[in-house]
């Protein structure tokens, strides 16, 4: 009994650390994009995450598992690496470049619902009534946020940014769907994705961007993103789920993150938080809770 309580307590600790760190990344994205292009941010943050995961593998003495894993799953690793970190973060950072941080981060939270929809054709799962209701509620919330509280006007603040943010949810969902086919240690799998994606990111960067010395503030922000969005925070969350006696209680903590994120956005970026953002985010959270209830059943 004592071990169970201790394990659940450890799970809460790791989960809250992950939630706190994820709550800061929308602010870090927007701050970095004041100094860097989306392409520069993808490159620098990916290299940072690659280095951090490399260190984790050395500490855990699992580096020798990387190349056997890649050799065994070469096609899948390249597909996953192309999606994440390359294409997903390129699209996501471009969305943040177009939109206020509060809008982009709220729309991005609908990826869990998109995952349910895409699981129908890819994983042959059935779409339930809860999924449909959740979809209507969530995407109405997106409409409220992206039209600044005038959903029936269809007058979007930035349609390109909204479409990119929604496209990022498709990419992130596809990443997790294809990830179901992967078999391996989680850190090894994640590092392998970054390892094969790095040459692609570098080539794309050289073909599309001028070679300039990046701003130091932008570099520091990119390092933060690489550490706490792309890499280490996933390991905290994984550790939380491994220690949890009740995973649903841990999973529900993630709903704190978007509201905490608005606090950082307001005080650090000095973005005025619109009532429409809070209302729309409320719709999104309600929709996700309905969808999660279906998942539990």
């Amino acid at each position: 009994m004592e071990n169970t309580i201790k394990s659940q307590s450890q799970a809460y600790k790791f989960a809250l650390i992950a939630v706190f760190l994820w709550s800061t990344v929308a602010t870090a994205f927007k701050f970095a994009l004041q100094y860097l292009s989306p392409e520069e941010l993808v490159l620098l943050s990916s290299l940072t995450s690659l280095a951090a995961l490399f260190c984790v593998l050395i500490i855990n003495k699992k580096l020798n598992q990387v190349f056997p894993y890649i050799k065994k799953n070469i096609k899948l690793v390249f597909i996953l690496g192309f999606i994440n970190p390359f294409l997903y973060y390129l699209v996501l950072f471009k969305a943040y470049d177009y939109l206020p941080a509060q809008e982009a981060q709220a729309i991005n939270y609908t990826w869990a619902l998109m995952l349910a929809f895409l699981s129908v054709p890819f994983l042959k799962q059935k779409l339930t009534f809860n999924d449909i209701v959740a979809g209507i509620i969530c995407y109405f919330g997106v409409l409220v946020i992206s039209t600044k509280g005038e959903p029936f006007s269809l007058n979007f603040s930035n349609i390109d940014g909204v479409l990119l943010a929604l496209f990022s949810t498709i990419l992130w969902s596809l990443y997790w769907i294809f990830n179901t086919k992967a078999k391996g240690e989680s850190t090894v799998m994640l590092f392998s994705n970054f390892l094969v994606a790095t040459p692609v990111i570098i080539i794309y960067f050289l073909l599309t961007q001028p070679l300039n010395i990046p701003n130091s503030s932008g570099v520091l922000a990119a390092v933060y993103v690489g550490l706490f969005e792309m890499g280490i925070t996933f390991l905290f969350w994984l550790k939380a789920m491994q220690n949890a006696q009740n995973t649903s209680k841990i999973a529900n903590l993630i709903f704190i993150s978007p509201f905490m994120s608005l606090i950082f956005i307001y005080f650090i970026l000095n973005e005025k938080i619109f009532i429409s953002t809070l209302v729309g985010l409320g719709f999104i959270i309600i929709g996700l809770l309905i969808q999660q209830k279906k998942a539990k059943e």
Side-chain angles (χ1 to χ4, degrees):
M1 181 67 177
E2 186 179 339
N3 287 338
T4 299
I5 294 172
K6 185 178 179 181
S7 180
Q8 188 70 15
S9 176
Q10 286 285 95
Y12 276 120
K13 181 178 75 174
F14 287 121
L16 287 171
I17 291 171
V19 167
F20 173 80
L21 292 172
W22 272 326
S23 299
T24 66
V25 295
T27 299
F29 292 165
K30 200 67 180 176
F31 181 84
L33 289 167
Q34 294 176 10
Y35 304 99
L36 304 173
S37 67
E39 291 81 3
E40 286 176 312
L41 183 52
V42 170
L43 176 64
L44 294 173
S45 56
S46 296
L47 289 174
T48 300
S49 191
L50 182 70
L53 291 169
F54 180 78
C55 293
V56 171
L57 287 173
I58 288 177
I59 292 168
N60 293 330
K61 298 179 181 178
K62 293 179 179 178
L63 192 60
N64 61 337
Q65 298 179 29
V66 172
F67 288 107
Y69 171 76
I70 293 175
K71 186 178 179 181
K72 187 178 178 181
N73 304 276
I74 186 74
K75 185 178 178 181
L76 182 60
V77 172
F78 271 95
I79 291 171
L80 291 173
F82 187 81
I83 297 174
N84 172 43
F86 173 56
L87 196 54
Y88 169 67
Y89 280 108
L90 183 62
V91 170
L92 183 66
F93 293 157
K94 283 183 178 291
Y96 269 88
D97 210 25
Y98 284 125
L99 295 172
Q102 60 188 288
E103 290 186 27
Q105 70 105 18
I107 295 171
N108 188 245
Y109 268 91
T110 63
W111 77 268
L113 185 66
M114 183 60 71
L115 178 62
F117 291 150
L118 291 179
S119 293
V120 176
F122 285 100
L123 300 179
K124 308 304 179 187
Q125 294 182 4
K126 292 181 179 179
L127 199 65
T128 67
F129 178 72
N130 275 27
D131 288 325
I132 296 169
V133 171
I136 293 169
I137 293 172
C138 273
Y139 290 118
F140 181 73
V142 170
L143 202 56
V144 169
I145 292 168
S146 56
T147 58
K148 296 283 195 298
E150 298 179 358
F152 302 109
S153 71
L154 297 181
N155 184 21
F156 295 93
S157 58
N158 189 306
I159 187 63
D160 290 338
V162 171
L163 291 175
L164 283 168
L166 288 171
F167 184 44
S168 76
T169 69
I170 295 175
L171 291 170
W172 196 234
S173 299
L174 287 174
Y175 173 73
W176 287 108
I177 286 170
F178 292 139
N179 224 23
T180 61
K181 302 179 185 300
K183 298 286 184 286
E185 200 277 332
S186 54
T187 313
V188 171
M189 290 162 59
L190 192 58
F191 176 80
S192 300
N193 296 346
F194 277 81
L195 187 64
V196 300
T198 297
V200 178
I201 293 170
I202 292 172
I203 291 168
Y204 180 81
F205 177 82
L206 293 174
L207 291 175
T208 60
Q209 300 295 300
L211 291 176
N212 297 316
I213 297 174
N215 179 280
S216 58
S217 297
V219 171
L220 289 174
V223 168
Y224 186 91
V225 169
L227 288 175
F228 300 121
E229 156 64 9
M230 294 180 170
I232 289 175
T233 310
F234 283 109
L235 303 182
F236 280 119
W237 187 255
L238 181 66
K239 197 76 173 172
M241 299 305 280
Q242 287 172 342
N243 280 277
Q245 301 300 313
N246 187 329
T247 55
S248 64
K249 288 182 179 180
I250 297 299
N252 285 337
L253 291 175
I254 201 66
F255 294 114
I256 301 171
S257 185
F259 296 101
M260 284 183 64
S261 184
L262 292 179
I263 296 171
F264 292 113
I265 289 168
Y266 177 77
F267 284 105
I268 297 175
L269 297 178
N270 295 317
E271 266 190 28
K272 179 185 175 184
I273 304 300
F274 297 105
I275 296 297
S276 56
T277 298
L278 295 173
V279 172
L281 191 55
F283 276 110
I284 290 171
I285 297 300
I286 290 169
L288 291 177
L289 286 169
I290 291 172
Q291 194 269 335
Q292 191 184 67
K293 183 174 183 293
K294 164 256 176 182
K296 287 178 187 175
E297 291 170 353

